Amino acid sequence: MGEKKKAKAVIVGGSTAGVSCAHALISAGWDVVVLEKSSQPPRGSPTGAGLALDRQAINIIESWLPQPQLLQQTTLPLTIDQNQTADGEKEASRILTRDEDFNFRAAHWADLHGLLYNALPAEVFLWGHLYLSFRTSGDKTSVTVEAKALQTEEIIEINGDLLVAADGCLSQIRKTFLPDLKLRYSGYCAWRGVLDFSGNEDSETIRSIQRVYPDLGKCLYFDLRTGSHAVLYELLSKRLNWIWYVHQPEPEQKGNSVTMKVSSDMVENMYREAEKIWGS
């Protein structure tokens, strides 16, 4: 008897979720194809935020890597989780909770994506391919995915046994099953960024941050204030990941995007609000 043919999965989306699904399915013995509309992988991209990986995620990711130690080398240990608050503008922060057995690791999105992507066979990916639609067979045992090669405009079809929707919170595949589902405003917006302070470790700004957050480099800080809260922790290579959540009425947006382009006035207003809330 011949060898049993491998089942095949078609994954739509080549971001962290997509490449993670590819690893999981390949580990389970599947053949995999990943469709991604971007023309190429984001090699060395400075974009993206920080991610905190718990012990289970660390173990799973290490099992996918031919050199598991690479995850340790591209992340920083977060051994402490501290929640703190200050009720008044001039009041010093007080600790609400402090867990010194946190056992997480801090990764930058681009670093983690590169690590996962480089551990997969290059032929798994179809870059520059836009998902269009899918149809299932009459007996529901297989699926055919239609996609367009953006460079040539060629329409291709890929047959598989499983379709994985890893195409984000605005998933077109999910809309097929849940056409009436709409995103719900959570009650807050977030400003976020990654501050690269390499070469500026002795600046007054960095020294001031380290005075307020003395365990940076090993601690994930949650700083709670009235109407807002912030998250701050250090990433590898002298970078600070920060997110500031502002509770406010839902902003007016065009389309369905969960992000919006900001004006210079909005940025200036953000600076003023930050000075009032966090300037102490």
Side-chain angles (χ1 to χ4, degrees):
M1 295 180 65
E3 185 178 342
K4 185 179 178 181
K5 183 180 177 182
K6 283 186 178 182
K8 182 176 180 179
V10 182
I11 300 171
V12 178
S15 190
T16 304
V19 295
S20 295
C21 288
H23 274 289
L25 286 163
I26 289 172
S27 297
W30 287 62
D31 281 332
V32 168
V33 174
V34 180
L35 291 173
E36 170 54 47
K37 62 184 178 182
S38 301
S39 60
Q40 60 185 5
R43 295 183 185 275
S45 170
T47 61
L51 298 169
L53 306 175
D54 65 12
R55 174 44 54 187
Q56 184 179 40
I58 293 166
N59 290 341
I60 292 171
I61 293 170
E62 286 181 336
S63 75
W64 294 338
L65 302 177
Q67 297 175 286
Q69 70 274 16
L70 289 178
L71 183 62
Q72 304 290 316
Q73 294 170 7
T74 56
T75 58
L76 276 184
L78 291 174
T79 59
I80 304 169
D81 174 40
Q82 181 165 307
N83 288 232
Q84 58 190 44
T85 187
D87 295 329
E89 289 187 9
K90 301 302 181 183
E91 181 182 333
S93 294
R94 58 189 177 90
I95 296 173
L96 299 174
T97 63
R98 182 177 170 92
D99 178 2
E100 296 193 1
D101 191 25
F102 193 46
N103 203 21
F104 276 52
R105 295 194 73 87
H108 186 263
W109 182 92
D111 295 342
L112 181 62
H113 184 274
L115 198 63
L116 293 169
Y117 167 74
N118 289 325
L120 287 169
E123 61 269 20
V124 162
F125 291 86
L126 288 178
W127 296 100
H129 283 72
L130 176 67
Y131 162 83
L132 297 176
S133 64
F134 77 92
R135 63 181 184 275
T136 55
S137 61
D139 59 3
K140 308 293 185 184
T141 61
S142 64
V143 61
T144 300
V145 178
E146 191 175 80
K148 179 169 70 172
L150 296 177
Q151 189 170 7
T152 64
E153 300 292 315
E154 178 188 4
I155 305 298
I156 66 168
E157 289 189 346
I158 304 172
N159 297 314
D161 304 286
L162 174 69
L163 173 62
V164 178
D167 51 341
C169 62
L170 300 175
S171 169
Q172 293 299 310
I173 298 171
R174 183 172 57 201
K175 281 185 179 179
T176 304
F177 295 100
L178 302 168
D180 298 323
L181 182 66
K182 290 182 172 56
L183 298 180
R184 178 180 59 83
Y185 181 57
S186 60
Y188 58 80
C189 295
W191 295 87
R192 70 171 176 85
V194 174
L195 172 64
D196 184 344
F197 63 96
S198 55
N200 295 304
E201 294 93 331
D202 292 328
S203 69
E204 182 54 34
T205 297
I206 297 304
R207 288 187 177 278
S208 295
I209 291 172
Q210 290 171 337
R211 281 195 293 270
V212 178
Y213 302 99
D215 287 318
L216 274 176
K218 60 182 179 180
C219 182
L220 187 154
Y221 284 98
F222 278 87
D223 213 329
L224 297 99
R225 305 292 172 100
T226 302
S228 71
H229 63 286
V231 180
L232 182 70
Y233 55 91
E234 190 172 333
L235 303 170
L236 195 69
S237 303
K238 304 298 181 182
R239 292 171 292 180
L240 287 181
N241 181 70
W242 63 271
I243 314 172
W244 177 26
Y245 299 93
V246 183
H247 299 260
Q248 64 181 52
E250 183 174 4
E252 292 184 11
Q253 287 183 261
K254 295 180 181 179
N256 297 315
S257 177
V258 296
T259 61
M260 64 186 298
K261 188 174 182 178
V262 297
S263 65
S264 57
D265 288 344
M266 293 171 68
V267 173
E268 287 301 320
N269 183 63
M270 182 269 287
Y271 286 154
R272 288 192 295 269
E273 290 299 311
E275 182 64 29
K276 285 193 293 186
I277 295 173
W278 307 102
S280 60

